């Protein structure tokens, strides 16, 4: 036939003259029926697997939540009432605490003036707020608290101990400790601030908190001193405290000149009765 030589037929794949076969993504039927073939590959399969995993995780979370709710609902009526009462008590206590702290830090008003004494008794010394860490007047002194006591020996003789640096004892518990306690870091310092804020230079109370601050400071001092005391703490008849204050020296590059001499503030002797001794060391 004329022109038959000009027509070349393709053979089957793998036979001479057959075109090279290339792999292509699998063609899948288009569910939308628009006649356009869609392709699917490994990425589509991975996406589907991730979606299934997320769905399973959500289902498990929902199942756990349902199981927890079922356990709560299965509790006896008395237990449910107790849980509700506990939650209500915690909420009321938190709200009351925030309200008292707000009245303490807020500007003076009718309500805070009317309940000033009750607010102070709740706030001091544990929850007091102050701004000594911040400008314009940050604390620039190292203050150490010392204590000594008068003891009555078994034969009735009175003797005084040497001064003990309570601040240094606290520092030993803080230094090289990655998780120092709040007590070691702040209790003694806040107790001293409480005292100085409620007494004048003649060591006289300036308000209703004065006697409370003395009692608080006395009890903390005895609690700190008791482990190293060479006698029973109930033999203590009087206690005396003092502060040793030293201004922080300026850095080497500063031209400022300050007096770094240590100055002492010595408090009077306070009598000690059984009620002043914390139960933990009796």
């Amino acid at each position: 036939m004329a022109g038959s030589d000009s027509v070349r037929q393709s053979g089957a794949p793998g036979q001479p003259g057959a075109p090279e076969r290339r792999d292509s993504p699998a063609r899948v039927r288009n569910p939308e029926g628009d006649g356009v073939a869609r392709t699917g590959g490994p990425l589509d399969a991975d996406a589907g697997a991730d979606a299934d995993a997320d769905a399973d995780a959500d289902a498990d979370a929902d199942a756990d939540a349902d199981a927890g709710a079922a356990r709560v609902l299965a509790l006896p009526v008395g237990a449910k009432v107790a849980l509700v009462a506990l939650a209500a008590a915690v909420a009321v206590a938190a709200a009351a605490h925030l309200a008292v702290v707000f009245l303490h830090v807020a500007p003076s008003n009718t309500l805070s003036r009317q309940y000033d004494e009750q607010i102070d008794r709740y706030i001091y010394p544990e929850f007091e707020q102050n701004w000594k860490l911040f400008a314009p007047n940050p604390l620039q002194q190292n203050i150490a608290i010392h204590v000594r006591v008068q003891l009555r020996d078994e034969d009735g003789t009175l003797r005084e101990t040497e001064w003990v640096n309570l601040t240094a004892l606290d520092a030993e518990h803080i230094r090289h400790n990655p998780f120092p306690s709040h007590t070691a870091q702040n209790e003694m310092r806040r107790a001293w601030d409480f005292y100085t804020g409620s007494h004048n230079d003649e060591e006289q109370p300036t308000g209703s908190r004065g006697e409370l601050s003395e009692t608080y400071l006395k009890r903390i001092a005895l609690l700190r001193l008791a482990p190293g005391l060479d006698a029973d703490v109930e033999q203590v008849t009087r206690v005396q405290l003092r502060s040793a204050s030293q201004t922080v020296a300026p850095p080497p590059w500063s031209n400022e000149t300050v007096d770094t001499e240590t100055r002492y503030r010595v408090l009077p002797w306070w009598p000690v009765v059984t009620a002043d001794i914390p139960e933990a060391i009796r």
Side-chain angles (χ1 to χ4, degrees), residues 63 79 87 91 94 111 116 122 127 157 160 165 193 202 205 274:
L111 192 60
D116 179 67
Y122 177 81
F127 304 119
T157 304
E160 297 178 3
N165 190 335
D193 287 345
E202 286 74 36
T274 303

Side-chain angles (χ1 to χ4, degrees), residues 89-104:
V90 171
V92 171
H97 172 76
L98 293 175
V100 176
V101 172
F102 172 78
L103 290 174
H104 173 67

Side-chain angles (χ1 to χ4, degrees), residues 165-187:
N165 190 335
L166 299 180
T167 303
L169 295 178
D170 284 345
E172 290 180 2
H173 290 90
I174 298 172
R175 191 174 292 112
H176 307 306
N177 184 354
F179 304 106
S181 69
H182 175 77
T183 300
Q185 294 180 85
N186 298 310
E187 188 177 46

Side-chain angles (χ1 to χ4, degrees), residues 121-195:
R121 286 188 176 276
Y122 177 81
I123 291 293
Y124 293 101
E126 286 85 359
F127 304 119
E128 182 184 2
Q129 312 291 313
N130 66 77
W131 300 93
K132 291 185 177 181
L133 180 63
F134 303 99
N137 296 310
L139 190 63
Q140 297 180 348
Q141 287 183 320
N142 289 322
I143 301 176
I145 309 303
H146 303 166
V147 64
R148 64 179 178 178
V149 296
Q150 183 184 70
L151 297 167
R152 185 183 298 277
D153 291 331
E154 294 180 357
D155 59 0
T157 304
L158 295 176
R159 61 185 176 91
E160 297 178 3
T161 65
E162 298 294 329
W163 288 105
V164 176
N165 190 335
L166 299 180
T167 303
L169 295 178
D170 284 345
E172 290 180 2
H173 290 90
I174 298 172
R175 191 174 292 112
H176 307 306
N177 184 354
F179 304 106
S181 69
H182 175 77
T183 300
Q185 294 180 85
N186 298 310
E187 188 177 46
M188 177 57 67
R189 177 179 60 82
R190 297 303 302 123
W192 183 255
D193 287 345
F194 183 25
Y195 174 85

Side-chain angles (χ1 to χ4, degrees), residues 11-30:
Q15 295 180 358
E20 182 181 358
R21 180 176 179 178
R22 298 181 181 178
D23 293 335
S24 62
R27 303 178 66 85
V28 298
R29 182 181 300 276
N30 178 17

